[in-house]
Structure formats: structure tokens, C-alpha cells
């Protein structure tokens, strides 16, 4: 009888452990499913875009980490060398390492694009918020000025402004930023008007909220998401436009490394040294496409 009681208690202990073991297996299955859902939600194109932009940012901030060559001083008897183990992307007509010039050029191109986007974002968004909030004659006057800016081709306007300001990467960036003011202003105004007409904003006004309080607490936070996504898109456009101005000779002066200038310097040697124009052009394309892809992800997140 004692033996039977011992076997019974053992079976009861095993039965009591079954729910514990089942719950552990269930938690493990839930965790595995959660990890699987995260992996499925990762989009390779978006990850690659962030990786490209991250590399370019590190190039701009810490160029000496990625190359030991000078971006402005050439090596004797190393002119127009094809890509090799010593010079991964080859050399230019003065014996300067092309990879070093691209890496150091990231700082000029990216900083110029950030200045351009900053000018357009701050000035254009401010004008759009004022127009969408004030309405009436103020709105009409601001938007008529915006229409005038939008009626002028952006590249032509950029060239006109940079000629007035003078050549240089900073002046080119300011010129590009001025041409983007109209786009930011129109988008910001449309978002402010849309949000202001929503029910919760009307309820905030009806509950006694002042205009400035409702503007800061409800209208602006819900209006700037699209503007920020548009700023990411404008970053790629600014890099492309600044590179275009540099290619035309209105950007950074030689021997300053700048992506548009690199393409312009290599066009005379296209038959002998294809890498001088092709590789900087590919870099510009990758950065612009990456910025556009990131901007699209911001827009989808908002939706």
C-alpha cells in the first residue's frame, strides 16, 4: 500500500507540472512568432537606403577613417590610373585618389544639401503656417508670391540667385534652398488648413482654447509630419541640384572635392578614364534614390 501511495503522489506531481511546461512552450512560441513578424516586416530596400545614407554621413563626419590619401594633393606619376589595389577607384588627371575625393566630397555635398533643406524648411514652413492660420488677405498675399516662385523653373532660378550671390558651395546651397521655399510653403499651408478643419481642433476652440494654444498643441504637431517627410525627399533633390550647379561650374571651386565638380572634371577623359565620371555619378544616384526611399517610408508611416 505504501508503494502505491508513493506512485500516486509522483503522478500527481507530474500532472501539476504539465500546465507550467505548457505555458513555457506557449511563451516560447509567442516570442518566436513575434520575432518572425518583425523579420517579415523588414524591407531590404529601406534597410539598404538607411545603410547608404549612414555611410555617406560617416564619410562627411569622419573622412580620415576611410582613406589615407589626400583629396587635393596628387601622387607623382599616378595620373589616370585604373582602379587597382592601391587606388580602389582609380586616380584622376592630377594623380589624386578618386575614392578620397568622393569621400571628402560627401562633406561638401551633404552639408550644402542640409543648408538648402534647412532654408526651405524654416522659411517655407513658417510662411505656410502663417498663411494657413491667418487666412484672408495675408493668405492671399503669401500664396500669390508662392505661385510666382513656382512659375519659374527651379534650376533657372537657382542659377540666377547663385550668380547674384557669387560662386561657392554655401551660396549654391542658399540658392537651392530659396527655390524650395515655395514647395514647403504650399505643403505646410495645405496641412494646416486640413488639420484646422478637423473636429478635435474645433472642439478645442469650443472649449475655450486660445488660438496660440490650439496652434501649438494640436495644429502644428499634426501638420508637420508630411513636411518632415517632404524634407527627406528634398534632401535628395538638393544633393542632385547642388551637384548640377557644381557640374556647370557654379558650385565649389577647384580643387575642392564636390560630387558635381568631380563629374565635370572627368568628362574630358571619358574615353580614357571612364571611372572619373561614372563612379561619382553612381554615388549621386544611390544617395538620391536612398533619400527618396526613406521619404516614402515616412509618408507610409503617416498614412
Amino acid at each position: 500500500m505504501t508503494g502505491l501511495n508513493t506512485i500516486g503522489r509522483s503522478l500527481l506531481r507530474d500532472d501539476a507540472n504539465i500546465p507550467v511546461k505548457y505555458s513555457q512552450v506557449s511563451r516560447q512560441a509567442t516570442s518566436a512568432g513575434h520575432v518572425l513578424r518583425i523579420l517579415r516586416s523588414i524591407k531590404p530596400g529601406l534597410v539598404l537606403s538607411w545603410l547608404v545614407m549612414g555611410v555617406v554621413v560617416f564619410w562627411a563626419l569622419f573622412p580620415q577613417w576611410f582613406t589615407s590619401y589626400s583629396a587635393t594633393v596628387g601622387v607623382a606619376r599616378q595620373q589616370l590610373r585604373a582602379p587597382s589595389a592601391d587606388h580602389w577607384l582609380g586616380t584622376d588627371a592630377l594623380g589624386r585618389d578618386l575614392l578620397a575625393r568622393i569621400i571628402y566630397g560627401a562633406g561638401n555635398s551633404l552639408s550644402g544639401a542640409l543648408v538648402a533643406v534647412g532654408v526651405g524648411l524654416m522659411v517655407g514652413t513658417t510662411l505656410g503656417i502663417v498663411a494657413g492660420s491667418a487666412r484672408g488677405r495675408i493668405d492671399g498675399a503669401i500664396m500669390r508670391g508662392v505661385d510666382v516662385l513656382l512659375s519659374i523653373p527651379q534650376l533657372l532660378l537657382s542659377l540666377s540667385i547663385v550668380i547674384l550671390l557669387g560662386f561657392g558651395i554655401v551660396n549654391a546651397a542658399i540658392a537651392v534652398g530659396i527655390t524650395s521655399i515655395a514647395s514647403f510653403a504650399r505643403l505646410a499651408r495645405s496641412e494646416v488648413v486640413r488639420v484646422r478643419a478637423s473636429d478635435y481642433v474645433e472642439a478645442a476652440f469650443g472649449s475655450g482654447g486660445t488660438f496660440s494654444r490650439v496652434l501649438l498643441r494640436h495644429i502644428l504637431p499634426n501638420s508637420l509630419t508630411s513636411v518632415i517627410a517632404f524634407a527627406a525627399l528634398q534632401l535628395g533633390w538638393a544633393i542632385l541640384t547642388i551637384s548640377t550647379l557644381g557640374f556647370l561650374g557654379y558650385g565649389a571651386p577647384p580643387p575642392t572635392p564636390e560630387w558635381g565638380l568631380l563629374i565635370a572634371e572627368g568628362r574630358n577623359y571619358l574615353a580614357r578614364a571612364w571611372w572619373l565620371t561614372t563612379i561619382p555619378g553612381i554615388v549621386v544616384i544611390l544617395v538620391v534614390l536612398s533619400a527618396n526611399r526613406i521619404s516614402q517610408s515616412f509618408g507610409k508611416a503617416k498614412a
Side-chain angles (χ1 to χ4, degrees), residues 216-285:
L216 294 176
R217 291 194 61 183
H218 299 287
I219 297 178
L220 289 185
N222 293 284
S223 302
L224 295 181
T225 305
S226 297
V227 178
I228 294 174
F230 184 68
L233 180 63
Q234 287 294 104
L235 180 65
W237 171 83
I239 292 175
L240 185 61
T241 307
I242 291 174
S243 298
T244 302
L245 292 176
F247 178 83
L248 296 175
Y250 296 99
T256 305
E258 193 272 325
W259 291 343
L261 181 61
L262 297 185
I263 298 173
E265 289 177 341
R267 60 184 172 178
N268 295 327
Y269 306 95
L270 190 58
R272 294 179 54 195
W274 57 267
W275 55 88
L276 295 180
T277 54
T278 303
I279 296 177
I282 291 174
V283 171
V284 173
I285 292 172

Side-chain angles (χ1 to χ4, degrees), residues 60-73:
L61 295 177
F62 312 104
Q64 65 278 3
W65 289 3
F66 300 92
T67 181
S68 58
Y69 289 101
S70 171
T72 56
V73 180

Side-chain angles (χ1 to χ4, degrees), residues 156-176:
L156 177 61
L157 183 59
S158 299
L159 288 172
S160 302
I161 295 173
V162 79
I163 289 173
L164 293 175
L165 296 177
F167 299 166
I169 189 68
V170 176
N171 292 337
I174 294 174
V176 173

Side-chain angles (χ1 to χ4, degrees), residues 1 3 12 20-21 48 51 57 72 74 77 86 113 130 137 139 148 162 187 190 202 215 231 253 259-260 274 297:
M1 182 66 71
L12 287 176
V20 177
K21 295 179 180 179
L48 182 60
L51 180 61
V57 169
T72 56
R77 296 184 299 277
D86 294 330
V130 171
R137 293 182 177 179
D139 181 19
V148 171
V162 79
L187 177 60
S190 64
E202 295 295 335
L215 179 67
W259 291 343
W274 57 267
S297 69

Side-chain angles (χ1 to χ4, degrees), residues 31 43 76 88 94 107 125-126 188 205 209 234 238 272 279 285:
S31 301
K43 299 179 179 179
W88 290 359
L94 298 179
T125 303
T126 302
F205 279 117
Q234 287 294 104
R272 294 179 54 195
I279 296 177
I285 292 172

